[in-house]
């Protein structure tokens, strides 16, 4: 796979989702250190990709926007909706906030949640929140933005209801 910006753009939301899947399915059996490592690694990498995009797009002659487009998501007569992510300079600022602050929250949570039951579940929910927030920010169309918005609501509900 070619590591051009369009291909790396997919990794920003997919890495936190992979962290959610790993900690959500295997986390109960894993030591807390492994759960923490998975959660931190799978949020640090999107932050690093965002920093690299920042350097690339702010450089002289750098692209003003980057789009990653998959095959059509919905295709009916007169309407085609692609599953696509897009980054321009405003999106890049918001993406930096989401990935950077999200990573810092993960670091803080490792110590804050150290003695809690369901440690693995909390970090699975936190990575799910990062996934949906990234989808919300990167969405190229309103339908995908809606999916991200609703997903952020779901992840917030799960995090708020953590102590059930």
């Amino acid at each position: 796979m070619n590591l051009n910006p369009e291909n790396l753009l997919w990794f920003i939301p997919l890495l936190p989702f992979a962290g959610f899947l790993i900690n959500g399915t295997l986390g109960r059996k894993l030591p807390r250190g492994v759960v923490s490592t998975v959660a931190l690694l799978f949020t640090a990498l999107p932050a690093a990709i965002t920093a690299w995009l920042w350097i690339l797009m702010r450089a002289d002659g750098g692209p003003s926007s980057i789009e990653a487009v998959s095959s059509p998501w919905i295709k009916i007569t007169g309407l085609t909706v692609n599953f696509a992510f897009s980054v321009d300079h405003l999106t890049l600022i918001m993406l930096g906030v989401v990935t950077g602050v999200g990573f810092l929250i993960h670091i803080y949570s490792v110590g804050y949640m150290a003695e809690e039951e369901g440690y693995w579940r909390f970090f699975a929910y936190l990575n799910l929140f990062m996934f949906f927030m990234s989808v919300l920010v990167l969405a190229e169309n309103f339908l995908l933005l809606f999916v991200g918005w609703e997903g952020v609501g779901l992840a917030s509900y799960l995090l708020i209801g953590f102590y059930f």
Side-chain angles (χ1 to χ4, degrees):
M1 180 173 157
N2 188 7
L3 292 180
N4 60 24
E6 293 82 15
N7 290 338
L8 283 177
L9 204 56
W10 294 107
F11 285 104
I12 294 172
L14 289 179
L15 285 168
F17 189 72
F20 160 72
L21 290 177
I22 293 168
N23 280 339
T25 57
L26 304 173
R28 183 186 306 257
K29 298 174 180 124
L30 297 174
R32 288 179 186 243
V34 174
V35 170
S36 301
T37 302
V38 167
L40 290 172
L41 181 65
F42 284 73
T43 54
L45 290 174
I49 293 170
T50 301
W52 180 76
L53 287 174
W54 181 274
I55 293 167
L56 178 73
M57 290 179 71
R58 297 297 296 164
D60 289 337
S64 60
S65 67
I66 299 169
E67 285 192 10
V69 181
S70 173
S71 58
W73 190 17
I74 299 171
K75 190 170 186 173
I76 56 175
T77 306
L79 175 69
T80 301
V81 179
N82 292 323
F83 193 92
F85 294 139
S86 176
V87 173
D88 58 10
H89 292 285
L90 178 60
T91 304
L92 193 60
I93 292 170
M94 291 308 299
L95 197 57
V97 170
V98 167
T99 59
V101 172
F103 177 63
L104 293 175
I105 290 169
H106 274 72
I107 291 172
Y108 177 79
S109 297
V110 168
Y112 187 78
M113 300 297 290
E115 302 301 321
E116 298 293 330
E117 292 294 320
Y119 186 82
W120 59 274
R121 189 169 33 94
F122 177 80
F123 280 101
Y125 295 162
L126 203 54
N127 276 29
L128 184 65
F129 183 86
M130 286 281 297
F131 163 71
F132 280 122
M133 189 59 101
S134 298
V135 169
L136 174 68
V137 171
L138 289 169
E140 195 268 335
N141 55 59
F142 287 122
L143 189 57
L144 193 56
L145 180 122
F146 180 74
V147 169
W149 183 267
E150 290 301 314
V152 166
L154 169 67
S156 297
Y157 173 79
L158 292 171
L159 285 166
I160 291 168
F162 176 74
Y163 295 110
F164 57 87

